[in-house]
Amino acid sequence: MEERGGCNNNKSSSSSSSSPKGKRDDIYHVLHKVPFGDGPYVRAKHAQLVDKDPEAAIVLFWKAINSGDKVDSALKDMAVVMKQLDRSEEAIQAICSFRSLCPKQSQESLDNKCGKIDEQIELLKRKLKLIYQGEAFNGKLTKTARSHGKKFQVSIKQETSRLLGNLGWAYMQKMNYIMAEVVYRKAQIIDPDCNKACNLGLCLMKQARYEEAQLMLEDVLDGKLPGSDDGKSRKRAQDLLTELRSLLPAPYLSDILALDDEFIKGLEQMMNQLGQVRSKRLPIFEEISSFRDQLAC
């Protein structure tokens, strides 16, 4: 009886998996191209593809990025939605800021989503030129911006520093580290933050200027910059420091290079003393050899 009951249970579970409701769910996901699951990324895709609500989709994509739910896919899909809303510059900013959280195999596709690097550089330069000419913000001191799905006020100074930070990252992609450093340093003078400090540290590492990079990253960990209390920024600074230390020469090499003049002088004195001891013994050996000559005669 128990075996028969178990058999019935298996039949019922098998029939439930192939029930009309299960088939309808499969058809729904295939038809609307919405992935399975119930995380922020899936809800964002539902808002984008089913509800046709791009603003809600962007908010949910931000939630997915911040929670680590399919970050690379969320970042790319959010950039597409932002471009549809004529918010291309915001899409570029998001990709530049969060692409470090994505795997290496996703980097090329992220470049495609935000356009060619040269186009990004020209776009950012044009925006900076408008600020320099006093034509940005329609003559106002602040403007309304969006980030992580929220609206807030941005000053001219903050916008200039942000654009310079994005320009610095674009130069990093071109491996023009000298220009990237110049731009990052200007951005930090105008409105410093830990994200640009990490990027500047990476830029200095690329130039093998490890001591300067270490000081920059330690400023983040020591809480000397705005945003240093952010866990993600601190983790990134720590990861970069770990990578930096792996690039440093072996300790024994640095010890040899650090030998001072006093040590060298002491080494020379010791060698001279050894030479003097050897010379003092020479007459003894000469006497012995002459005595042997007399015996031979």
Side-chain angles (χ1 to χ4, degrees):
M1 292 295 291
E2 290 179 359
E3 291 180 0
R4 185 177 299 176
C7 182
N8 289 336
N9 288 337
N10 290 335
K11 285 182 180 180
S12 62
S13 62
S14 174
S15 61
S16 63
S17 63
S18 59
S19 65
K21 183 180 183 302
K23 291 182 178 179
R24 285 198 302 271
D25 289 341
D26 292 342
I27 293 172
Y28 166 83
H29 288 287
V30 172
L31 181 63
H32 295 289
K33 298 180 180 179
V34 176
F36 290 88
D38 191 36
Y41 177 72
V42 172
R43 293 198 294 273
K45 293 297 291 183
H46 181 90
Q48 176 192 5
L49 302 173
V50 181
D51 297 339
K52 308 296 183 183
D53 187 345
E55 293 289 351
I58 290 174
V59 173
L60 290 167
F61 279 132
W62 275 122
K63 287 184 178 180
I65 293 168
N66 290 326
S67 63
D69 182 17
K70 297 186 170 110
V71 176
D72 53 339
S73 297
L75 198 53
K76 287 182 283 188
D77 291 341
M78 185 175 69
V80 171
V81 176
M82 285 179 171
K83 284 189 174 184
Q84 292 172 350
L85 297 176
D86 196 24
R87 291 160 58 179
S88 298
E89 201 270 329
E90 188 179 348
I92 292 173
Q93 177 195 357
I95 290 176
C96 289
S97 299
F98 292 92
R99 69 185 306 157
S100 60
L101 302 177
C102 303
K104 291 183 178 180
Q105 58 267 29
S106 300
Q107 298 301 317
E108 185 176 351
S109 59
L110 286 171
D111 289 337
N112 294 333
K113 292 297 181 183
C114 64
K116 301 295 183 182
I117 301 298
D118 291 332
E119 294 175 2
Q120 294 179 44
I121 290 174
E122 289 305 314
L123 172 63
L124 292 166
K125 282 183 175 179
R126 283 198 300 270
K127 288 183 174 292
L128 287 165
K129 187 176 180 180
L130 288 175
I131 292 175
Y132 176 75
Q133 294 173 341
E135 299 175 8
F137 293 13
N138 295 320
K140 298 179 181 179
L141 297 177
T142 61
K143 76 168 186 177
T144 302
R146 297 183 183 89
S147 180
H148 295 227
K150 298 179 181 180
K151 294 182 180 181
F152 58 96
Q153 294 296 309
V154 177
S155 67
I156 290 285
K157 185 176 76 170
Q158 291 171 326
E159 180 71 358
T160 303
S161 180
R162 184 185 66 80
L163 291 172
L164 286 171
N166 289 345
L167 182 59
W169 185 257
Y171 278 126
M172 288 281 285
Q173 307 313 299
K174 297 279 288 183
M175 291 186 288
N176 188 345
Y177 302 124
I178 294 176
M179 279 301 299
E181 180 189 352
V182 171
V183 171
Y184 275 134
R185 289 195 184 279
K186 288 185 179 295
Q188 287 295 82
I189 290 172
I190 295 171
D191 188 32
D193 65 52
C194 59
N195 183 52
K196 291 193 289 290
C198 287
N199 289 339
L200 179 55
L202 176 60
C203 180
L204 293 169
M205 287 169 59
K206 295 292 185 181
Q207 300 176 69
R209 291 159 59 186
Y210 301 126
E211 290 185 6
E212 295 176 69
Q214 181 174 346
L215 291 173
M216 185 65 61
L217 296 171
E218 285 177 347
D219 282 348
V220 176
L221 295 176
D222 292 341
K224 295 180 179 179
L225 294 166
S228 296
D229 55 344
D230 178 63
K232 293 180 181 178
S233 296
R234 293 181 64 84
K235 184 180 183 304
R236 188 179 177 219
Q238 188 61 62
D239 290 344
L240 286 172
L241 268 178
T242 302
E243 181 183 349
L244 184 152
R245 288 174 184 135
S246 70
L247 298 172
L248 293 175
Y252 70 89
L253 290 177
S254 61
D255 291 342
I256 292 174
L257 294 174
L259 296 178
D260 56 17
D261 293 338
E262 292 298 324
F263 180 85
I264 298 297
K265 289 178 181 178
L267 188 61
E268 290 175 350
Q269 290 175 1
M270 183 181 70
M271 296 303 294
N272 291 335
Q273 289 174 0
L274 290 174
Q276 291 174 3
V277 170
R278 184 181 178 186
S279 64
K280 289 177 181 177
R281 296 181 62 186
L282 283 175
I284 299 175
F285 288 109
E286 290 174 357
E287 291 176 5
I288 293 174
S289 61
S290 61
F291 179 70
R292 285 177 179 173
D293 293 338
Q294 291 177 4
L295 290 176
C297 295

